Amino acid sequence: DVKVTQSSRYLVKRTGEKVFLECVQDMDHENMFWYRQDPGLGLRLIYFSYDVKMKEKGDIPEGYSVSREKKERFSLILESASTNQTSMYLCASSPTGDTEAFFGQGTRLTVV
Amino acid sequence: QKEVEQNSGPLSVPEGAIASLNCTYSDRGSQSFFWYRQYSGKSPELIMFIYSNGDKEDGRFTAQLNKASQYVSLLIRDSQPSDSATYLCAADWGGNMLTFGGGTRLMVKP
């Protein structure tokens, strides 16, 4: 089974902190994604990566950055957390040429 | 702007009935469509995908795609309480990227 693992299920951070959300997949997938999910808004794409050290902005990249130093790991960075970044964050991966995305269990981030 | 629209619901159906979930999309360039199911507090899981006009059946689930009218639907036959979840429609416009709708909450009542 494909496994996408996010480092934390729940996280509480203070405004202004730098926050790292980690995601690891074990299926050698080329593509990795970070989404945030808010009630009524569905999943919105923040960033994605189709190869090591490659990244592309999604629909809502402002306030976020990403890092992909190894194929299996994709990190989402909140440079200076703000309360409007309180959300559920979902990581996903997929192989090239196949759009089926496999999701991690999600990280519920609260910024206070 | 590529958008996927869904009625947020909740859609309430009795056990054993057919649940019909609908989704519209804004751009005719979309290549394929996906239905994900998400239980409360869990991550989305793929139910099925469709890329050709017409119907595609998988067990109790049937996906329907009408590219001329820009809508895609999911029918769930013999609905069970365990089908109660939020159903997310997603469109692929190429580049391995999915755009998701807001989801429809389905409630199946015993």
Side-chain angles (χ1 to χ4, degrees):
Chain A
D1 279 353
V2 175
K3 195 157 186 181
V4 181
T5 303
Q6 295 182 228
S7 53
S8 305
R9 285 298 306 272
Y10 301 95
L11 213 51
V12 180
K13 295 292 182 181
R14 294 193 180 276
T15 301
E17 276 194 77
K18 191 168 186 176
V19 181
F20 294 86
L21 303 182
E22 306 286 347
C23 175
V24 177
Q25 51 96 3
D26 66 359
M27 284 301 292
D28 202 37
H29 286 170
E30 289 79 14
N31 304 316
M32 296 189 75
F33 308 85
W34 275 107
Y35 292 90
R36 65 177 281 177
Q37 185 175 29
D38 301 288
L41 296 177
L43 277 74
R44 292 180 291 167
L45 183 64
I46 305 171
Y47 267 98
F48 70 100
S49 169
Y50 54 88
D51 201 353
V52 175
K53 297 192 185 294
M54 305 302 289
K55 60 184 179 183
E56 295 286 342
K57 293 180 179 179
D59 298 321
I60 51 165
E62 296 79 17
Y64 304 94
S65 62
V66 290
S67 172
R68 193 163 180 204
E69 296 296 318
K70 293 185 177 182
K71 190 175 186 180
E72 67 271 18
R73 186 179 298 268
F74 192 34
S75 302
L76 180 70
I77 303 155
L78 286 66
E79 297 291 343
S80 177
S82 63
T83 54
N84 63 12
Q85 292 178 310
T86 292
S87 186
M88 170 68 83
Y89 290 87
L90 288 160
C91 174
S93 72
S94 69
T96 296
D98 184 348
T99 319
E100 180 182 354
F102 297 88
F103 285 85
Q105 78 276 28
T107 296
R108 185 165 293 283
L109 172 67
T110 301
V111 182
V112 298
Chain B
Q1 183 82 2
K2 297 179 172 66
E3 293 181 340
V4 176
E5 300 286 340
Q6 294 180 258
N7 189 318
S8 61
L11 173 66
S12 182
V13 300
E15 183 175 358
I18 296 175
S20 178
L21 303 160
N22 300 310
C23 170
T24 59
Y25 58 95
S26 63
D27 193 314
R28 292 180 184 273
S30 182
Q31 298 178 6
S32 52
F33 301 87
F34 298 77
W35 282 101
Y36 281 81
R37 177 177 61 200
Q38 186 176 26
Y39 291 112
S40 181
K42 302 292 186 182
S43 57
E45 53 182 348
L46 183 68
I47 300 174
M48 61 192 305
F49 65 90
I50 186 168
Y51 53 83
S52 298
N53 270 329
D55 295 358
K56 180 181 179 182
E57 188 174 318
D58 184 0
R60 295 187 296 114
F61 299 95
T62 299
Q64 299 174 319
L65 175 59
N66 184 323
K67 290 192 175 183
S69 300
Q70 296 178 231
Y71 83 80
V72 58
S73 60
L74 179 70
L75 302 178
I76 306 174
R77 288 182 300 281
D78 188 25
S79 296
Q80 301 297 309
S82 59
D83 294 325
S84 297
T86 296
Y87 289 80
L88 300 166
C89 173
D92 169 26
W93 274 281
N96 295 319
M97 287 173 54
L98 294 177
T99 298
F100 285 85
T104 298
R105 186 172 160 222
L106 173 66
M107 297 172 58
V108 181
K109 297 192 172 181

